[in-house]
């Protein structure tokens, strides 16, 4: 069966059981770039096909802007029907406060424990033995995206790893090209540091720092090497002068920047621009140094509602999000990997296939959203936002502050 026939056949299995009750559900999320909007449209189409209606509640400004608004609405008595958060601890307090729906019955009925891979995704949704969210994708941060055209203009080969990329920076600058595009939002610089950490210091060190909260390791020589690389990244990103991540990606797409450290969601922007992996751009998982990807991503949580019909429709939406056809259509547009291990992704591009191969080998780590509390994440973001903006902050001073954040992390 070809891909189109496969997806169409599976779509029928989503539509048929749910046509009896038509209900509008407001769904909030922060997917507002061109590639993201194309992906979320697939979720809306799948839910609308059940006879219900996805009422889009997109909030511009990325997660840092959207999450406080979402939390405020839920705690303030004006809940949406469903909302996006990242896998991990962002909604932990909402669940513990009894403001979110327990989806355990749906998860058990549909066998989520057997189909969601890796198991850590569902574990991130589980609090005190109850399932509170429906994972929709695996997003990995550990990618370096390179503009083939930029390196051609600069007269140098497209790098195969981080060291070659750093070495090529002077040639790019001479050609009037920014070596590394980094947007001004704090999560971007903090995420880039996390990527450098696992690429340069390795998985064991990454887990000692973020999982075990080992402040001695955070203050040690292995992390000092990472801060040296972060200092290189800071120098290479001078002149980016953009705010949003997709604006930084566009600098790579247009050849104005050589590369960007960004999650696999950047693929949606390349696709929307009509660019082809391997021809127009190059992707280096693990910065070409250490091919490991994180298994964070996005999940939908469902606030408790008084309206019985909307509550029933929430269950339909949760089921639809995990349906095979939805997983295929959404993740192909989003650039992410499906949470189901049993779907056909023959249409995946070269970069997506690299991610699938790494996932199949088990070369994975949990994302820092899964390992650190929102407060600790915010402190880390503030540190790296300042580090990238302030050239007078030395790597040594930044590492000292980083170790203090890890020592106090929960």
């Amino acid at each position: 069966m070809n891909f189109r026939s496969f997806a169409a056949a599976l779509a029928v299995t989503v539509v048929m059981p749910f046509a009896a009750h038509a209900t509008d559900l407001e769904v909030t999320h922060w997917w507002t770039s061109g590639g993201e909007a194309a992906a979320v449209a697939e979720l809306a189409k799948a839910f609308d096909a059940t006879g219900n209606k996805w009422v889009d509640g997109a909030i511009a400004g990325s997660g840092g802007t959207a999450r406080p608004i979402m939390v405020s609405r839920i705690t303030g008595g004006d809940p949406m029907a469903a909302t996006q958060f990242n896998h991990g601890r962002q909604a932990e307090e909402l669940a513990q406060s009894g403001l979110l729906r327990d989806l355990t019955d749906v998860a058990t009925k549909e066998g989520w424990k057997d189909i969601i891979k890796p198991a850590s995704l569902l574990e991130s949704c589980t609090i005190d033995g109850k399932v509170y969210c429906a994972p929709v994708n695996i997003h990995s941060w550990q990618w370096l995206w390179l503009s083939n055209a930029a390196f051609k203009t600069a007269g140098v080969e497209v790098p195969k790893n981080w060291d070659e990329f750093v070495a090529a920076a002077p040639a790019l600058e001479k050609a009037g090209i920014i070596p590394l595009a980094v947007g001004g939002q704090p999560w971007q610089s903090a995420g880039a540091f996390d990527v450098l950490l696992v690429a340069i210091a390795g998985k064991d060190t990454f887990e000692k720092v973020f999982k075990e909260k080992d402040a001695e390791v955070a203050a040690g020589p292995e992390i000092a090497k990472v801060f040296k690389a972060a200092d290189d990244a800071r120098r290479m990103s001078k002149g980016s002068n953009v705010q949003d991540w997709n604006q930084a990606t566009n600098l790579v797409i247009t050849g104005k920047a050589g590369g960007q450290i960004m999650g696999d969601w950047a693929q949606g922007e390349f696709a929307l621009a009509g660019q082809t992996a391997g021809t127009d751009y190059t992707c280096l998982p693990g910065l070409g140094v250490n091919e490991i990807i994180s298994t964070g991503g996005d999940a939908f949580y469902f606030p408790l509602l008084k309206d019985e019909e909307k509550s029933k429709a929430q269950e339909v939406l949760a089921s639809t999000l995990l349906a095979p056809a939805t997983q295929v259509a959404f993740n192909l547009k989003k650039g992410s990997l499906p949470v189901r291990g049993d779907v056909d992704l023959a249409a995946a591009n070269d970069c997506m296939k690299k991610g699938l191969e790494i996932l199949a080998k088990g070369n994975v780590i949990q994302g820092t959203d899964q390992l650190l509390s929102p407060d600790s994440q915010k402190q880390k973001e503030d540190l790296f936002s300042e580090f990238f903006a302030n050239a007078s902050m030395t790597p040594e001073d930044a590492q000292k502050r980083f170790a203090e954040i890890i020592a106090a992390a929960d």
Side-chain angles (χ1 to χ4, degrees):
M1 181 180 291
N2 65 31
F3 170 74
R4 291 182 183 277
S5 298
F6 170 81
L10 288 172
V12 173
T13 67
V14 178
V15 174
M16 294 305 291
F18 305 128
H21 300 286
T23 305
D24 290 357
L25 291 186
E26 181 194 7
V27 185
T28 56
H29 58 87
W30 57 80
W31 290 323
T32 56
S33 77
E36 290 173 327
V40 78
E42 295 294 339
L43 300 183
K45 183 166 67 175
F47 184 60
D48 289 354
T50 69
N52 295 290
K53 179 66 176 174
W54 174 292
V55 179
D56 201 67
I59 301 171
S62 295
T65 300
R67 279 191 297 272
I69 296 171
M70 294 163 172
V71 171
S72 178
R73 283 192 54 185
I74 295 169
T75 57
D78 180 30
M80 63 296 289
T83 189
Q84 169 203 8
F85 285 110
N86 296 121
H87 297 316
R89 301 177 61 183
Q90 293 173 354
E92 190 174 67
E93 291 184 5
L94 293 173
Q96 291 171 338
S97 300
L99 295 172
L100 299 178
R101 266 197 77 161
D102 174 6
L103 297 175
T104 305
D105 287 347
V106 177
T108 301
K109 178 183 176 184
E110 304 209 347
W112 288 3
K113 189 174 182 181
D114 297 321
I115 62 173
I116 293 176
K117 307 292 181 185
S120 60
L121 298 177
L122 194 59
E123 289 167 5
S124 290
C125 287
T126 306
I127 300 172
D128 297 329
K130 297 177 180 178
V131 176
Y132 285 95
C133 67
V136 292
N137 60 15
I138 301 168
H139 261 320
S140 53
W141 245 106
Q142 290 69 33
W143 298 84
L144 177 58
W145 306 95
L146 301 171
S147 165
N148 291 2
F151 289 94
K152 184 177 180 179
T153 299
V156 292
E157 293 291 321
V158 176
K160 296 181 178 64
N161 56 50
W162 175 256
D163 288 342
E164 290 184 8
F165 180 48
V166 175
L172 290 167
E173 289 172 337
K174 188 176 180 180
I177 297 167
I178 302 162
L180 181 66
V182 179
Q185 295 161 319
W187 63 269
Q188 295 182 55
S189 49
F193 176 82
D194 294 347
V195 173
L196 287 165
L197 196 159
V198 73
I200 293 168
K203 179 179 179 179
D204 290 345
T205 300
F206 179 91
E207 291 186 337
K208 284 178 182 176
V209 172
F210 291 123
K211 191 172 186 178
E212 299 174 22
K213 318 295 191 294
D214 191 324
E216 186 174 337
V217 172
E222 288 302 306
I223 301 304
K225 295 176 186 176
V226 180
F227 272 91
K228 167 60 172 65
D231 190 33
D232 290 336
R234 172 172 63 175
R235 186 180 66 255
M236 292 164 66
S237 67
K238 186 178 180 181
S240 292
N241 297 330
V242 294
Q243 184 70 7
D244 294 340
W245 70 268
N246 53 304
Q247 293 174 320
T249 305
N250 191 59
L251 292 175
V252 180
I253 291 170
T254 56
K256 295 176 182 176
Q260 179 189 27
I261 298 173
M262 186 49 60
D264 52 12
W265 49 90
Q267 287 192 88
E269 302 304 302
F270 286 104
L272 199 67
Q275 295 203 345
T276 302
T279 301
D280 301 302
Y281 66 96
T282 295
C283 56
L284 297 180
L287 308 186
V289 179
N290 197 344
E291 290 197 348
I292 290 174
I293 61 174
S294 56
T295 54
D298 302 290
F300 280 89
Y301 291 76
F302 299 81
L304 279 173
L305 301 177
K306 295 177 182 178
D307 187 305
E308 187 176 342
E309 289 301 313
K310 289 186 184 295
S311 295
K312 289 178 181 177
Q314 284 178 321
E315 297 178 11
V316 176
L317 177 55
S319 177
T320 303
L321 294 171
L322 269 295
T326 312
Q327 281 285 296
V328 170
F330 171 72
N331 285 294
L332 286 177
K333 291 281 179 68
K334 192 72 166 65
S336 47
L337 303 179
V339 299
R340 295 184 68 123
D342 60 352
V343 295
D344 182 357
L345 282 171
N349 69 23
D350 289 348
C351 294
M352 199 170 183
K353 286 175 181 174
K354 286 183 183 180
L356 288 167
E357 288 169 7
I358 295 169
L359 186 64
K361 292 175 184 175
N363 294 343
V364 299
I365 54 173
Q366 288 180 283
T368 54
D369 282 318
Q370 295 168 286
L371 300 172
L372 296 176
S373 70
D375 180 62
S376 297
Q377 280 281 72
K378 179 67 166 57
Q379 291 178 52
K380 180 162 67 74
E381 289 178 359
D382 289 345
L383 167 62
F384 287 103
S385 177
E386 184 178 349
F387 179 74
F388 270 75
N390 181 7
S392 67
M393 180 186 286
T394 67
E396 293 77 16
D397 287 344
Q399 184 178 2
K400 183 180 178 182
R401 279 180 54 183
F402 177 69
E404 290 169 354
I405 290 169
I406 296 301
D410 55 355

